[in-house]
Amino acid sequence: MPRNRFELIKRYLHFADNEHLPTGDKIAKVRPLFEELNRVLLQFGVIHPQLSIDEQMVPYFGRHSSKMFMKGKPVRFGFKLWVLASSDGYPYQVEMYTGKNAGPGEGRAGCESLGLGGDVVLRLLECLQTPAQHHVFFDNYFSSYALMIALRQRGIRATGTVRDNRLKKCPLPDNKTAEKAPRGQHWYQSTNGVLAVKWRDNRAVTVVTNHSDISPLKDVQRWSGDEKKKVTVKQPNLIYEYNQYMGGVDLVDGAVGAYRPVIRWKKWYGTLVTNAFGLLRVASWRMYRSCTGRSVDQLVFTREVALELLKTRDKSHVRQTSPAADQDPAAAG
């Protein structure tokens, strides 16, 4: 494709009718893109039993009211996306955060709010057709006692780290007291089917679940500064499961960022468009590996897809040749 043609396509690329944009929606120009993206990602259903919910940052340095600044993050400036993914890095649902004031497609009308994080979890999990077959993991930005109760009522198993002030004054020791205890010690409290566990690792960590249990205790290796060697520490089972299955969104983000195209856009939503295609590329790569059992590198897979698309274009160009030209070589010349 010539450069000028590419620039022309990029200039006139739109995803919504500018004359009929809904008022109050900050991302109305790309709302249809996100809806189609989520539809394609869910075309085979949610087939993985372990899921995770976390945020993804899309780099953006221009001006927009939805741009975020995340101090201490690898991507400090950009758009924040909420992502539901499998534990091995297949994205299922993507939602863009536009601020505390919910726009079209956000919020849960007629339902009691569980806070920003809790409402995000419930919205992303609406796509589950058989909730009892899945176990969802998320971090302390989303977790709360009320969210665990709401998920339990919906038949959804969930586990996540949690902040102590979201546990309804659960009688667990505070972090300062727990960090004075020997490494490996744990405390727990169960109420209404919700189990909260505080475990002393390098620091005290609190995990809440509506399904998992403490037993069986797992043996994990930790470095001991006093003994100058690795020692075996007992770890509750729910914390072991959290560490094993939580990183799905990080795998998605890393795979998208590894081969993110660098294209200059004058439109604010350009980086969201390239990120959407990156999510589709990663999803197709994960699905290919899962279906074929081949451990294909993402770069090799992307090159093979590009070559097949070029071959398809060449074949379609041949089919458009007129029958008269096929019969008369002179006419083709």
Side-chain angles (χ1 to χ4, degrees), residues 90-105:
Y90 182 92
Y92 281 111
Q93 286 285 277
V94 181
E95 177 184 304
M96 180 172 167
Y97 175 61
T98 59
K100 294 183 179 180
N101 297 325

Side-chain angles (χ1 to χ4, degrees), residues 224-250:
S224 174
D226 297 333
E227 302 181 22
K228 305 299 181 182
K229 64 177 183 179
K230 288 186 176 181
V231 297
T232 301
V233 179
K234 294 294 184 180
Q235 184 184 62
N237 181 62
L238 74 165
I239 299 180
Y240 174 82
E241 290 182 347
Y242 177 85
N243 292 335
Q244 187 174 8
Y245 299 118
M246 175 56 198
V249 178
D250 292 335

Side-chain angles (χ1 to χ4, degrees), residues 212-279:
S212 298
D213 200 355
I214 298 175
S215 60
L217 296 176
K218 304 290 185 178
D219 291 333
V220 295
Q221 299 294 317
R222 293 292 186 270
W223 176 260
S224 174
D226 297 333
E227 302 181 22
K228 305 299 181 182
K229 64 177 183 179
K230 288 186 176 181
V231 297
T232 301
V233 179
K234 294 294 184 180
Q235 184 184 62
N237 181 62
L238 74 165
I239 299 180
Y240 174 82
E241 290 182 347
Y242 177 85
N243 292 335
Q244 187 174 8
Y245 299 118
M246 175 56 198
V249 178
D250 292 335
L251 293 176
V252 173
D253 193 20
V256 173
Y259 302 104
R260 190 186 304 276
V262 181
I263 302 176
R264 295 184 62 182
W265 296 77
K266 291 185 179 180
K267 299 174 182 177
W268 63 267
Y269 53 81
T271 183
L272 294 173
V273 175
T274 56
N275 188 78
F277 282 104
L279 288 171

Side-chain angles (χ1 to χ4, degrees), residues 27-177:
I27 60 170
K29 290 191 174 184
V30 290
R31 181 72 66 181
L33 174 64
F34 279 95
E35 293 175 353
E36 182 65 14
L37 173 64
N38 288 328
R39 186 195 67 80
V40 172
L41 294 176
L42 283 174
Q43 60 181 320
F44 303 111
V46 183
I47 59 178
H48 295 85
Q50 285 83 23
L51 306 173
S52 64
I53 295 177
D54 207 345
E55 64 184 27
Q56 179 196 17
M57 288 293 292
V58 181
Y60 178 70
F61 297 94
R63 296 182 179 180
H64 193 270
S65 59
S66 297
K67 186 181 76 171
M68 304 290 296
F69 170 70
M70 304 292 291
K71 185 178 180 180
K73 295 288 186 178
V75 179
R76 294 186 299 165
F77 295 95
F79 298 114
K80 180 189 289 188
L81 304 181
W82 309 119
V83 181
L84 169 67
S86 66
S87 59
D88 63 353
Y90 182 92
Y92 281 111
Q93 286 285 277
V94 181
E95 177 184 304
M96 180 172 167
Y97 175 61
T98 59
K100 294 183 179 180
N101 297 325
E106 302 180 20
R108 298 182 304 118
C111 300
E112 182 182 355
S113 175
L114 297 176
L116 175 60
D119 289 345
V120 167
V121 171
L122 295 183
R123 283 200 306 272
L124 292 178
L125 295 181
E126 289 177 354
C127 64
L128 299 182
Q129 297 180 348
T130 54
Q133 297 181 3
H134 305 283
H135 193 162
V136 186
F137 299 85
F138 36 80
D139 60 21
N140 59 19
Y141 183 88
F142 307 92
S143 296
S144 67
Y145 176 82
L147 176 61
M148 289 296 170
I149 293 294
L151 293 176
R152 181 178 178 85
Q153 293 172 351
R154 290 164 172 77
I156 301 176
R157 298 174 292 167
T159 301
T161 55
V162 66
R163 302 169 187 175
D164 290 347
N165 59 359
R166 295 184 180 180
L167 284 177
K168 300 290 185 179
K169 298 181 180 180
C170 182
L172 292 176
D174 57 27
N175 289 341
K176 291 184 179 180
T177 303

